[in-house]
Structure formats: C-alpha cells, structure tokens
Amino acid sequence: PSFYAGGKKGGGRAGPARLQRLDPAFQDMARVYMQAVVEETLPYLASRGGPIILWQPENEIDPWPHLYTEQLGLGARPGSFQQFLQEKYQDVQRLNAAWGTNFPTFQAARAVGDRFPTDPDRMRRYSDTISFKHWYVCQVARWTASEYRRLGVDVPFVINTYSGHATQPWAELEDIAGLSGQ
C-alpha cells in the first residue's frame, strides 16, 4: 500500500531522483557532484578573498513520502522510518506502550499518513510520522553540511525552507546551518 493516495507503488520514480537523500547510493553519487562543485568554487569563497559569503548546502529539504514510500519505510518494507523509531524509543516495548500496539520488532511498525486521526493511538503514530519527517530533514541537512565542511567550505551556511512547520523544523535547521529561512 502507498503511504499517500496517488503515491506510486514501490515508492520510486523514474529519472535521476529515484533515490531518497539518505540512501547510501545517492550519497555516493552526491559526493562526486559536491566535490566537483567545491573544486570549482573554493577560490571564490570570501575566506579566500572571493565574493561568496554564504553557502547553501541544501534547498527546501523534503522526504517526499509520496515518491519514496518504500525507501523511507512508510509502506510495506522497513526503512528510515523504523530507524527513526528505534532511535527515539530504543526498545520496541516502549514503542508499543506509546502506540498501543504489540509489534515484535521495530521493522514491523508502520507510519500513519492520514491527517488528524480520531483514535488516540493512531494520533500518536501520526505524530511520530511528522516527527520522522523532521528527523529526516535534519539528518539530510547534517550530512550535506558535514560533507561540504569536509570538502573545505568554510563560509557560513544557509538552508532554505518551506513556510510552515509540517515538513521542516526551521529552528533545528538553523542550529545545523547557522541560518535558515524561506
């Protein structure tokens, strides 16, 4: 089943955006691109006398759950969502107590995508689904910022966000980048 109505079965899409940003294969390909960008722009950083005073390591980070349903663990297969739950709850019994469930492992837990469910247990699951989006966005921001720092970018970072709070936790992104905004 798809996390959102209209989502593609399998959670993928054709073309270059077929992998979500935390996928190791995506990160391997991204490192090649990032290295090339840094090699071309390093001499132009303000810290080296150039005009570039800010660096935007990412733009409007979004997990795109309707496109990456399966890769994120929001469909039939486990993925990043279950990793988030394990980090948050540490023990599956704590997850079960919070959700009113009886999962044998974190891999069995599934997200709730319907907005504002009336059942309190489903509402807690929905809340964790939103928290997962925030976690995911921050994980991507941390990875991207650390890669650019590793490559030698030493000017301040800025991360662009959407308006609202459902997908991106702008205050946490500001802690990661130094500056965030829309």
Side-chain angles (χ1 to χ4, degrees), residues 39-57:
E39 285 174 7
E40 292 297 319
T41 57
L42 215 54
Y44 302 102
L45 297 180
S47 58
R48 291 165 173 79
I52 299 174
I53 61 170
L54 286 174
W55 190 276
Q56 185 175 355

Side-chain angles (χ1 to χ4, degrees), residues 68-177:
Y68 302 111
T69 303
E70 292 303 320
Q71 291 182 42
L72 294 172
L74 301 172
R77 296 186 332 230
S80 300
F81 179 68
Q82 288 71 24
Q83 178 186 348
F84 158 75
L85 292 174
Q86 191 160 3
E87 286 181 22
K88 179 176 180 175
Y89 291 101
Q90 303 291 309
D91 178 16
V92 72
Q93 296 313 317
R94 290 171 66 191
L95 170 69
N96 285 329
W99 281 17
T101 54
N102 193 25
F103 296 120
T105 66
F106 284 104
Q107 277 50 34
R110 293 294 173 265
V112 169
D114 51 326
R115 291 185 174 185
F116 311 113
T118 55
D119 175 81
D121 290 332
R122 286 187 66 78
M123 187 58 175
R124 283 189 286 279
R125 291 172 72 176
Y126 174 72
S127 178
D128 275 342
T129 303
I130 297 302
S131 294
F132 164 70
K133 288 181 182 181
H134 290 182
W135 173 88
Y136 178 91
V137 165
C138 289
Q139 293 290 96
V140 170
R142 281 186 196 95
W143 178 80
T144 308
S146 70
E147 281 300 305
Y148 278 119
R149 288 289 185 228
R150 183 185 66 77
L151 293 168
V153 176
D154 57 1
V155 294
F157 286 157
V158 59
I159 292 181
N160 195 28
T161 62
Y162 300 141
S163 60
H165 63 277
T167 301
Q168 300 152 330
W170 61 266
E172 290 176 58
L173 290 175
E174 196 165 277
D175 286 343
I176 293 166

Side-chain angles (χ1 to χ4, degrees), residues 10-11 21 23 59 65-66 78 107 117 136:
R21 289 176 170 138
D23 186 297
N59 182 57
H66 61 290
Q107 277 50 34
Y136 178 91

